[in-house]
Amino acid sequence: MEHWICVTCGSQFAAREAQPLVCPICNDQRQYVGYNGQQWTTLAEMSRNGFHNVFKEEEPNLLGIGTEPSFAIGQRALLVQTPQGNVLWDCISLLDEQTLAEVQQRGGIAAIAISHPHYYSSMVAWARHFNAPIYLHEADRQWVMRPDEHIIFWSGETHSLQPDLTLIRLGGHFRGGTVLHWPAGFDGKGALLSGDIITVVADRQWVSFMYSYPNLIPLPAYEVNRIRDTIAPYRFERLYGAWFGRVVMQDAHQAVLRSADRYLQALERPLD
């Protein structure tokens, strides 16, 4: 019995002898099946093939964890270190002994929270190693490929993980698309951890919003308006996207608002 991992999206599946025929997450129009067709791997095979994790201090009490060479979507996880316990934001597929040791020496993991199904990856393996609950929005329940008792589905628009950490449902990319607000981040100026629910673009003074990134399917105006209105009351000076280097370093709150306005204006104006 193996916990097969989809090579294209990185999601780990419930144990079975034979490889699954398809990955439902990749068959969805927000994702895709790789050019070489549906392919699978395992944690053991990834380690044998030279995959390993790297660790980068994004700022005090915020550790980035990513896999090299890049695997699947290539996102990195973020370990938020707080006096109430560490929270792993988003997740990656590879979990090995080095990673366990690096995280454990920083206090382990008290809870895991994930922005959307493309980053569910090996979340259950992480949760079992650290005996940590996983917080997912219930609107995305159908995309869980490895059910487990560590998963907690929350509902509504916000959920408090700790007194200073709040999950906010923004929707958009997925119905349950979630961001993490960390008021103590960036030296008390506030940080938003957004995955790609709000994605940092090449010009890091701006962000954007999409229904499908690989297939370039935009969100409708009403969804972007709702995202803008939902996040507007929260204070944050810095925004961390899904990949190493994708960070709005300052004035992030205004960057999100003006980016939403630019998006909406682009939908309305005629071509030059």
Side-chain angles (χ1 to χ4, degrees):
M1 301 285 278
E2 290 281 2
H3 290 288
W4 299 101
I5 297 173
C6 172
V7 169
T8 305
C9 74
S11 291
Q12 189 183 58
F13 281 56
R16 55 187 296 169
E17 292 186 5
Q19 297 176 353
L21 294 177
V22 296
C23 171
I25 293 173
C26 290
N27 268 353
D28 177 68
Q29 64 180 333
R30 283 162 287 201
Q31 183 58 4
Y32 63 95
V33 175
Y35 296 154
N36 295 320
Q38 182 68 64
Q39 294 181 307
W40 302 94
T41 188
T42 64
L43 287 176
E45 186 176 348
M46 288 183 69
S47 293
R48 286 195 299 270
N49 289 338
F51 288 98
H52 62 281
N53 288 335
V54 296
F55 311 88
K56 298 180 182 180
E57 300 286 347
E58 301 275 1
E59 65 169 78
N61 299 316
L62 187 66
L63 178 72
I65 310 172
T67 301
E68 292 184 352
S70 181
F71 178 73
I73 295 172
Q75 78 277 6
R76 56 98 174 86
L78 290 167
L79 185 69
V80 186
Q81 300 164 69
T82 81
Q84 292 77 34
N86 297 342
V87 173
L88 185 71
W89 170 250
D90 279 338
C91 200
I92 57 177
S93 300
L94 182 61
L95 181 62
D96 56 16
E97 292 301 321
Q98 180 196 14
T99 305
L100 290 170
E102 290 279 352
V103 172
Q104 196 61 58
Q105 74 177 10
R106 290 170 170 82
I109 296 173
I112 299 169
I114 302 180
S115 60
H116 71 291
H118 289 159
Y119 301 158
Y120 285 177
S121 60
S122 297
M123 60 180 179
V124 172
W126 286 75
R128 288 189 170 189
H129 274 288
F130 292 100
N131 193 27
I134 306 168
Y135 291 91
L136 309 177
H137 197 279
E138 67 171 4
D140 294 333
R141 181 190 295 260
Q142 74 184 88
W143 302 107
V144 173
M145 297 295 110
R146 184 181 174 184
D148 191 82
E149 62 184 8
H150 285 84
I151 298 174
I152 297 173
F153 293 102
W154 62 278
S155 60
E157 303 306 305
T158 63
H159 182 80
S160 178
L161 285 180
Q162 297 177 5
D164 202 32
L165 288 173
T166 302
L167 297 173
I168 307 164
R169 188 193 77 86
L170 292 186
H173 189 36
F174 274 80
R175 284 183 57 216
T178 301
V179 297
L180 178 64
H181 185 231
W182 181 30
F186 192 33
D187 198 26
K189 299 181 180 69
L192 191 73
L193 283 54
S194 69
D196 61 4
I197 301 304
I198 299 174
T199 197
V200 182
V201 296
D203 180 349
R204 293 181 298 171
Q205 301 176 80
W206 299 85
V207 300
S208 197
F209 324 84
M210 292 286 276
Y211 181 73
S212 169
Y213 292 97
N215 300 318
L216 301 179
I217 306 174
L219 285 173
Y222 69 84
E223 270 292 289
V224 176
N225 257 320
R226 191 186 54 74
I227 291 171
R228 186 193 193 283
D229 292 345
T230 300
I231 205 61
Y234 293 89
R235 178 185 62 85
F236 54 93
E237 182 70 9
R238 182 169 286 181
L239 185 146
Y240 291 94
W243 295 272
F244 283 125
R246 292 297 185 102
V247 181
V248 180
M249 299 299 290
Q250 59 187 15
D251 198 30
H253 183 269
Q254 286 304 310
V256 173
L257 300 187
R258 67 173 176 262
S259 296
D261 291 341
R262 182 175 75 167
Y263 186 109
L264 296 168
Q265 290 164 11
L267 291 178
E268 295 172 356
R269 67 171 177 250
L271 294 175
D272 295 334

